[in-house]
């Protein structure tokens, strides 16, 4: 009983991150690497996989009481797929959840500072340019989740 | 002598089925009206009298067991957090346990919802919400409001494991009739039906049967063990999977069209393909769905409601009927039996619609996503394409002159590539209406139940007219 309780307290104390690949995007490899890296770094990772809609992310975040949603978009349509996501979070009662996005979120070589600006306006907390690996983002995650 | 008497106290009919498990034979079947409003024994005695006209009165039954959907069946309320996740998981568990899900609620309950639970005379509440370690605020809130408003019916808690202790305290504080089970959705999109389903069956057995006035008959009956739909699901599973060295039929679908509902059962995996990406909540291998708005009498208006104005006009013109008034007639007189060919024709049409629409809701969907490596498929729900058999049961199908026309409606007659309906199944009929009885027997002697089903559930008889038109 005591052991079970200890496990429960430990498990409940982990921060929960919902990850997945948004829209009609099937790039599956990076998603697996993110799951592996975050789990190893001590997070409770809820991976909803590829081809996930905004609602899939939000629903999973509600049920798991998640602290962060980390959206991947690799195929270039990230901006369209992410539009309105923060509003839906607000409607769903998880207005304070952290929203991260990364991968190859827009097509081609656009000026990333502009892209970032647009995503900030859409209510995302952290926006990563192409080529940013998940390891590079770990520092931000730690900081934002208050550890 | 291994003789068993199996009883199904249905909503309208009490059906008896006497079997011998050594010979794997049906000794006889008989039925009469269910009389739960007065004394359930009346209908049972009449049916038994009919049965004794067919079989030797001196036959001793080793056991008499029953299933029941009398007095409204097992009425449940399913409560979860998010509609697509724990609400859906809770609903599926209730359906798999053979219940009618009369109320479905998400997020925080409000007072009016709790009053609906009380007013609708719900038998059991399934309270879910949160994955394990996830949201516990919602289930705690809901348990608290149920307690505060004095709900005393059985509540099965099958939500976030981390909330169990607090839920237990609330159950204690308000002296509620609560039970704790494993989470119906321990992780996102993972469905866990067993623990909650067994608890529901247990409560049904211990508390609900008695409340429904079925207990009175216990002198003759050893046990009422299952809600009827749950018995049918057990039978379908056994028939599909086989038992020991006795082979089953492989994947099957069962359709049961009744006066108030259409039940659809599928026994198969979600997909066998490797080129699909499955989305959403995991599907149960043995899945039951119930359409409360699709039925031949009480729910006949629901069929028309699902049609557009244009479709209604088209049907009226094409078939020379007034479908709306026909449907109202059936709703007003639920005991109506077809008297002429026009009545039969309408009933046939309604049955076909029930079969078509309930499969539309039961089966999965598939969409293509294009990549340079070719197509990738995105699937939601179950893929029934390869199902080998579609079995029709229930009075409407068994008594139809055009059984095949009804069962054909479960296939992809409109060639909609996104609906994963059975593509080329064989059609079988439960001629002797024994599936519920065999579900019961499967609990005692699965081998005999399987052999009897394989013998008696047969292809459609003789040459059937291709069309009813
Ligand atoms: C393999 C591959 C495919 C495979 C995918 C197979 C599969 N199921 O996984 C297939 C052939 C199916 C495919 C299809 C397409 N692809 Co492709 N594909 C690639 C390729 C070559 C490798 C992707 C990969 O697995 N990388 C390895 C993993 C480990 O890296 P990653 O995915 O980038 O993920 C890491 C980081 O991005 C980061 N990350 C990801 N998300 C996030 C989120 C946050 C918050 C953070 C911090 C970090 C982060 O961390 C991950 C792990 O380290 C890339 C090119 C490339 N070299 O990247 C193109 C590439 C991604 N594809 C591309 C395109 C255009 C397509 C198609 C649209 C092509 C078409 N015209 O049909 C389709 C789209 C299909 C669809 N609907 O999704 C483009 C995208 C261009 C853009 N965004 O501007 C790329 C970049 C190629 C290119 N240079 O043009 N592709």
């Amino acid at each position: 009983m005591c052991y079970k309780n200890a496990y429960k307290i430990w498990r409940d104390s982990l921060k929960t991150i919902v990850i997945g690949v948004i829209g009609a995007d099937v790039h599956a490899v990076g998603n697996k690497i993110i799951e592996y890296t975050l789990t190893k770094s001590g997070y409770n990772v809820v991976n909803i996989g590829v081809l996930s809609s905004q609602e899939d992310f939000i629903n999973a975040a509600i049920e798991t009481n998640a602290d962060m949603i980390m959206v991947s978009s690799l195929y270039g349509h990230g901006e369209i797929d992410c539009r309105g996501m923060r509003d839906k979070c607000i409607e769903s009662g998880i207005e304070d959840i952290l929203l991260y996005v990364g991968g190859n979120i827009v097509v081609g070589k656009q000026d990333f500072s502009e892209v970032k600006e647009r995503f900030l306006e859409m209510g995302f907390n952290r926006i990563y340019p192409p080529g940013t690996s998940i390891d590079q983002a770990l520092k931000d995650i730690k900081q934002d989740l208050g550890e | 002598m291994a003789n068993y008497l199996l009883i199904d106290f249905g909503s309208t009919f009490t059906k008896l089925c006497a079997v011998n498990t050594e010979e794997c034979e049906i000794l006889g079947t008989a039925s009469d009206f269910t009389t739960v409003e007065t004394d359930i024994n009346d209908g049972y005695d009449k049916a038994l009298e009919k049965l004794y006209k067919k079989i030797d009165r001196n036959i001793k039954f080793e056991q008499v067991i029953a299933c029941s959907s009398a007095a409204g069946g097992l009425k449940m309320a399913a409560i979860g957090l998010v509609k697509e996740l724990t609400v859906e998981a809770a609903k599926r568990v209730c359906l798999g346990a053979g219940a009618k899900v009369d109320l479905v609620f998400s997020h925080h309950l409000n007072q009016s919802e709790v009053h609906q639970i009380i007013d609708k005379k719900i038998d059991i509440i399934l309270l879910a919400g949160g994955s394990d370690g996830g949201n516990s605020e919602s289930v705690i809130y809901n348990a608290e409001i149920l307690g505060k408003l004095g709900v005393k019916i059985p509540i099965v808690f099958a939500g976030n494991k981390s909330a169990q202790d607090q839920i237990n305290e609330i159950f204690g504080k308000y002296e509620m009739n609560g039970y704790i089970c494993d989470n119906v959705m321990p992780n996102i999109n993972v469905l866990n039906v067993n623990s909650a389903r067994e608890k529901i069956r247990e409560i049904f057995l211990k508390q609900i049967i008695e409340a429904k006035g079925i207990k009175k008959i216990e002198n003759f009956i050893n046990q009422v063990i299952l809600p009827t739909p749950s018995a049918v699901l057990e039978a379908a599973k056994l028939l599909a999977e086989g038992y020991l060295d006795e082979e089953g039929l492989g994947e099957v679908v069962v359709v049961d069209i009744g006066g108030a509902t259409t039940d659809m059962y599928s026994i198969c995996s979600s997909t066998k393909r490797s080129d699909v990406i499955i989305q959403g909540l995991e599907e149960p291998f043995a899945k039951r769905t119930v359409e409360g708005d699709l039925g031949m009498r009480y729910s006949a208006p629901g069929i028309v409601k699902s049609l557009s104005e244009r479709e209604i006009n088209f049907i009226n013109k094409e078939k020379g009927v007034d479908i709306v008034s026909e449907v109202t007639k059936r709703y007003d007189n639920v005991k109506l039996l077809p008297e002429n060919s026009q009545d039969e024709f309408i009933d046939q049409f309604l049955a076909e619609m029930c079969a078509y629409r309930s499969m539309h809701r039961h089966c999965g969907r598939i969409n293509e996503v294009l990549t340079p490596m070719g197509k990738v498929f995105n699937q939601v729900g179950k893929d029934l394409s390869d199902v080998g058999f579609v079995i029709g049961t229930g009075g409407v199908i068994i008594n139809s002159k055009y059984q095949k026309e009804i069962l054909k409606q479960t296939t992809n007659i409109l060639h909609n590539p996104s609906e994963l309906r059975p593509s080329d199944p064989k059609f079988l009929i439960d001629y002797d209406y024994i599936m519920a009885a065999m579900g019961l027997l499967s609990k005692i002697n699965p081998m005999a139940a399987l052999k009897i089903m394989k013998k008696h559930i047969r292809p459609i008889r003789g040459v059937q007219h291709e069309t009813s038109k």
Side-chain angles (χ1 to χ4, degrees):
Chain A
M1 188 62 197
C2 202
Y3 172 77
K4 212 173 134 188
N5 266 341
Y7 170 80
K8 208 180 106 180
I9 290 163
W10 170 76
R11 162 90 200 256
D12 288 358
S13 73
L14 291 185
K15 298 284 185 182
T16 298
I17 305 178
V18 174
I19 67 166
V21 185
I22 201 164
D25 193 337
V26 299
H27 294 93
V29 183
N31 172 257
K32 293 284 175 222
I33 291 174
I34 294 174
E35 173 172 357
Y36 175 80
T37 306
L38 291 179
T39 307
K40 207 183 58 180
S41 309
Y43 296 103
N44 176 31
V45 180
V46 177
N47 188 357
I48 60 170
V50 299
L51 291 175
S52 294
S53 66
Q54 292 185 5
E55 288 77 9
D56 293 336
F57 280 96
I58 292 167
N59 288 343
I62 295 172
E63 294 276 9
T64 58
N65 210 21
D67 303 281
M68 177 190 296
I69 291 175
M70 181 178 284
V71 177
S72 292
S73 177
L74 284 308
Y75 71 159
H77 305 298
E79 194 169 340
I80 299 171
D81 291 339
C82 291
R83 225 172 261 159
M85 187 150 182
R86 173 61 75 188
D87 300 332
K88 284 190 196 161
C89 289
I90 295 169
E91 286 288 351
S92 311
I94 52 167
E95 55 275 3
D96 296 330
I97 198 158
L98 288 163
L99 285 181
Y100 277 38
V101 63
N104 304 303
I105 52 181
V106 290
V107 180
K109 300 258 169 289
Q110 301 186 33
D111 179 356
F112 198 76
S113 62
E114 282 173 25
V115 175
K116 189 171 170 179
E117 201 49 49
R118 293 203 296 272
F119 272 82
L120 281 171
E121 233 164 75
M122 281 155 61
F124 279 78
N125 302 83
R126 301 262 185 193
I127 303 103
Y128 296 92
T132 317
S133 75
I134 184 65
D135 296 282
Q136 288 168 271
L138 276 174
K139 197 165 54 63
D140 295 338
I141 299 172
K142 270 212 176 85
Q143 189 189 329
D144 289 352
L145 292 179
E147 289 157 293
Chain B
M1 281 299 283
N3 298 317
Y4 292 87
L5 181 59
L6 310 158
I7 308 167
D8 172 13
F9 291 107
S11 48
T12 321
F13 291 104
T14 296
K15 297 179 278 289
L16 271 48
C17 176
V19 295
N20 179 287
T21 54
E22 273 161 14
E23 310 285 323
C24 291
E25 255 317 333
I26 297 177
L27 301 171
T29 61
S31 72
D32 208 288
F33 286 105
T34 296
T35 50
V36 75
E37 292 85 3
T38 50
D39 184 345
I40 192 149
N41 289 296
D42 297 345
Y44 170 68
D45 288 341
K46 278 189 196 156
L48 194 61
E49 216 28 63
K50 285 185 191 167
L51 183 69
Y52 279 140
K53 288 204 175 109
K54 297 182 185 172
I55 66 171
D56 181 0
R57 198 173 278 271
N58 296 319
I59 279 185
K60 287 277 165 294
F61 292 112
E62 214 152 285
Q63 267 193 57
V64 181
I65 50 175
C67 58
S68 167
S69 57
L74 171 61
K75 291 160 72 167
M76 288 192 66
I79 304 168
L81 178 55
V82 171
K83 181 169 160 276
E84 292 84 353
L85 296 171
T86 45
V87 174
E88 182 61 27
K91 220 168 95 185
R92 286 189 194 168
V93 168
C94 295
L95 290 170
K100 261 175 71 200
V101 190
D102 284 349
L103 295 171
V104 179
F105 298 123
S106 62
H107 297 276
H108 284 186
L109 289 169
N110 60 34
Q111 296 212 0
S112 112
E113 287 169 338
V114 177
H115 286 129
Q116 283 181 52
I117 291 175
I118 298 166
D119 295 344
K120 289 217 164 169
K121 300 207 162 56
I122 294 295
D123 296 312
I124 303 175
I125 297 169
L126 180 60
L127 176 60
S131 57
D132 281 348
N135 181 297
S136 50
E137 184 271 338
S138 171
V139 282
I140 290 169
Y141 180 94
N142 286 339
E144 185 79 32
I145 191 171
L146 287 166
K148 232 187 247 162
L149 296 181
V151 173
K152 293 284 185 254
I153 59 170
I155 301 177
V156 175
F157 173 72
N160 182 0
K161 172 177 73 74
S162 308
Q164 279 179 7
D165 296 345
Q166 282 138 296
I167 296 287
N168 240 336
E169 269 169 39
I170 297 169
F171 283 165
K173 183 167 85 181
Y174 295 104
E175 295 177 354
M176 297 159 83
N177 193 352
Y179 302 84
I180 305 277
C181 286
D182 294 346
N183 196 345
V184 291
M185 194 195 75
N187 291 303
I188 290 297
N189 288 339
V190 175
L191 181 68
N192 173 31
V193 294
N194 287 353
S195 165
R197 186 192 56 208
E198 288 317 308
K199 186 57 77 184
I200 293 165
R201 284 185 181 172
E202 192 186 309
I203 297 169
F204 173 79
L205 194 66
K206 275 207 219 125
Q207 306 180 21
I208 311 302
I209 300 282
E210 185 156 10
K212 301 246 171 204
I214 297 165
K215 196 87 178 178
K216 284 187 211 154
I217 208 156
E218 288 255 300
N219 296 347
F220 313 99
I221 299 178
N222 301 74
Q223 257 185 345
V224 178
I225 58 172
L226 292 171
T228 303
S230 176
V232 176
L233 192 62
E234 292 291 330
K237 235 176 100 189
L238 177 64
L239 185 60
E241 290 177 326
Y243 184 71
L244 301 177
D245 58 341
E246 184 74 20
E247 259 183 65
L249 298 182
E251 301 189 335
V252 303
V253 159
V254 179
V255 197
D256 182 356
I257 304 170
T261 62
T262 299
D263 287 37
M264 186 77 77
Y265 306 81
S266 64
I267 317 296
C268 65
S269 54
S270 285
T271 184
K272 283 177 258 351
R273 293 165 57 166
S274 56
D275 61 340
V276 300
I277 297 165
I278 298 198
Q279 295 254 275
L281 186 64
E282 191 183 335
E283 292 286 344
F285 179 76
K287 175 169 184 164
R288 167 178 174 245
T289 50
V290 183
E291 308 309 334
D293 60 339
L294 300 175
M296 300 295 294
R297 295 291 176 265
Y298 185 74
S299 303
I303 301 175
V304 173
K305 233 182 251 168
S306 68
L307 298 171
S308 70
E309 186 90 27
R310 244 181 87 190
E311 284 168 319
I312 292 175
N313 289 336
F314 177 78
I315 292 161
N316 287 349
K317 228 172 109 194
E318 182 84 346
K319 319 235 164 183
V321 296
D322 178 357
I323 192 73
V324 175
S325 80
E326 290 288 352
V327 154
T328 315
K329 182 168 120 189
R330 282 160 175 77
Y331 176 79
D332 291 338
N333 177 12
V334 294
K335 295 214 160 130
L336 181 132
L337 293 172
E339 278 170 1
N340 48 43
S341 61
Q342 162 96 350
D343 284 349
E344 271 177 26
F345 173 79
I346 298 286
D347 273 3
Q348 175 73 24
F349 171 74
L350 293 177
E352 288 175 16
M353 287 294 292
C354 287
Y356 181 81
R357 296 211 64 88
S358 60
M359 179 52 92
H360 175 76
R361 296 178 194 167
H362 185 96
C363 74
R365 301 278 184 283
I366 199 160
N367 291 306
E368 309 181 351
V369 182
L370 288 167
T371 77
M373 321 239 308
K375 291 174 195 165
V376 177
F377 295 92
N378 181 12
Q379 182 186 324
V380 182
K382 288 180 95 172
D383 183 352
L384 308 179
S385 319
D386 292 336
V387 163
F389 297 90
V390 171
I391 302 170
T393 185
V396 178
I397 296 179
I398 295 172
N399 297 322
S400 165
K401 283 186 193 151
Y402 309 101
Q403 294 165 331
K404 193 171 169 188
E405 287 297 312
I406 301 175
L407 296 186
K408 237 172 71 182
Q409 303 295 320
T410 62
T411 65
N412 212 336
I413 44 171
L414 297 186
H415 306 289
N416 178 348
S418 74
E419 286 196 10
L420 298 169
R421 291 166 172 263
S423 56
D424 188 22
K426 295 194 176 65
F427 299 122
L428 303 178
I429 301 287
D430 176 19
Y431 282 106
D432 305 291
Y433 211 160
I434 55 165
M435 282 197 82
M438 292 308 115
L440 286 172
L441 186 60
S442 77
K443 295 280 163 196
I444 307 167
N445 189 334
M447 186 58 94
L450 178 59
K451 284 187 172 165
I452 293 173
M453 277 194 283
K454 281 173 74 176
K455 225 184 282 181
H456 288 266
I457 298 177
R458 296 183 310 270
I460 289 172
R461 228 182 253 141
V463 191
Q464 283 242 336
H465 301 265
E466 263 306 304
T467 163
S468 57
K469 277 136 228 158

